Amino acid sequence: MDSNLDKEKMEETVDTAVETESLEETTEESAGNTEETEINENEKTEEETLEEKLVKAEEQVKEAQDKWLRQLAEFENFRKRTNQEKQGMYNNGVRDTIEKFLPVVDNFERAVAATEDKESSTYKGIEMILKQMLEVMKALGVEEIPAEGEPFDPNVHAAVMHIEDEGCDENVVVEVFQKGYKHGDKVIRPAMVKVAN
C-alpha cells in the first residue's frame, strides 16, 4: 500500500510539476508577448516621432522656400522700380537742361536767318555751332515737333494767332513762330504757331 501511496504521491508531484511547468511557460510566453508588445509599441512611437519630425521639417522647408521666393520677388520689384526711377531722373535732367539751352538755339537760328552774307566766316561759324547743338540734342533723343502744314494738336502746339484763310484747310498750322521740341513722349516746349480757321 505504501508503494501505491508513494506512486500516487509521485503522480501528484509529476502532475503538479507539469502544471507548474506549463504555468511557467504560459507566464514566460505572456512575459515574452508583453516584451514584444512593448518593443512594437516603442518602435511605433519611434516611427511616429520620426514621421512627425519629417512632416515638421518639410513644413519648415516649405516656409523657408516661400519666404525666399517672396524676398526674391520683392528684390526684383525693387530693382525694376529703382531702374525706372533712375531712368526717369535721367530723362528729367535731359529735359531740364535742353529747355535751358533752347533760347540759345533759337538765337543761333535767328542769327543764321538774319545774316545776309552767307559766305562770311561769321555766318559759317554760327551755322556750324547751330548744327553741332542740334546734333547733340538729337543724340540725347530730343526731336523737333513737326508743325507747319500739320493739323493743329493742342498737346504739342500752342496757337498764338488764328487767321481766316480759305486757301488752307481748317485747323492747319500755317506758320511757326517758335519751334517746339520733345524728348521721347514728353513735350519740352510746345511749338508757337499760327492756325488757319
Side-chain angles (χ1 to χ4, degrees):
M1 221 167 162
D2 276 340
S3 75
N4 277 343
L5 202 58
D6 285 339
K7 209 176 187 182
E8 281 180 16
K9 278 188 180 177
M10 269 175 65
E11 283 178 5
E12 275 181 29
T13 309
V14 168
D15 284 343
T16 309
V18 168
E19 282 178 16
T20 309
E21 206 174 283
S22 120
L23 187 62
E24 283 176 1
E25 283 176 9
T26 308
T27 309
E28 282 177 14
E29 279 180 25
S30 75
N33 286 344
T34 307
E35 285 177 19
E36 281 181 26
T37 307
E38 285 177 13
I39 290 170
N40 286 344
E41 285 179 9
N42 285 342
E43 285 177 5
K44 285 182 181 176
T45 307
E46 285 179 24
E47 285 178 16
E48 287 175 4
T49 55
L50 287 175
E51 284 180 18
E52 288 173 4
K53 286 181 181 177
L54 180 63
V55 168
K56 284 181 184 176
E58 286 175 347
E59 286 175 2
Q60 288 174 343
V61 167
K62 201 171 188 180
E63 285 176 18
Q65 190 176 19
D66 286 346
K67 188 176 181 180
W68 178 75
L69 287 172
R70 270 191 244 107
Q71 286 180 340
L72 186 66
E74 284 177 17
F75 176 73
E76 189 63 26
N77 290 339
F78 170 76
R79 190 181 63 76
K80 286 178 183 176
R81 191 171 53 249
T82 303
N83 285 342
Q84 286 175 344
E85 288 173 1
K86 189 167 67 172
Q87 187 63 40
M89 288 189 310
Y90 171 79
N91 289 338
N92 288 338
V94 168
R95 289 183 199 110
D96 290 345
T97 304
I98 294 298
E99 188 176 15
K100 288 178 176 57
F101 276 106
L102 287 180
V104 178
V105 172
D106 293 338
N107 288 334
F108 276 115
E109 286 177 341
R110 287 186 198 103
V112 166
T115 304
E116 293 176 9
D117 185 7
K118 305 291 185 195
E119 299 300 318
S120 72
S121 58
T122 304
Y123 172 80
K124 289 181 180 179
I126 292 172
E127 188 179 40
M128 286 173 56
I129 293 170
L130 176 62
K131 281 183 184 177
Q132 190 176 18
M133 289 188 78
L134 293 175
E135 285 171 10
V136 169
M137 287 170 53
K138 187 175 183 181
L140 290 171
V142 178
E143 300 173 7
E144 183 182 330
I145 296 171
E148 195 165 338
E150 296 287 321
F152 176 73
D153 181 358
N155 296 317
V156 293
H157 301 135
V160 291
M161 253 178 105
H162 293 274
I163 59 162
E164 297 292 331
D165 189 347
E166 304 214 356
C168 296
D169 294 334
E170 193 173 324
N171 272 346
V172 172
V173 175
V174 291
E175 189 178 345
V176 178
F177 298 118
Q178 186 179 52
K179 291 181 181 178
Y181 294 92
K182 64 180 180 174
H183 180 254
D185 294 337
K186 295 205 176 180
V187 174
I188 298 173
R189 180 179 78 185
M192 281 198 220
V193 296
K194 182 196 295 187
V195 181
N197 284 342

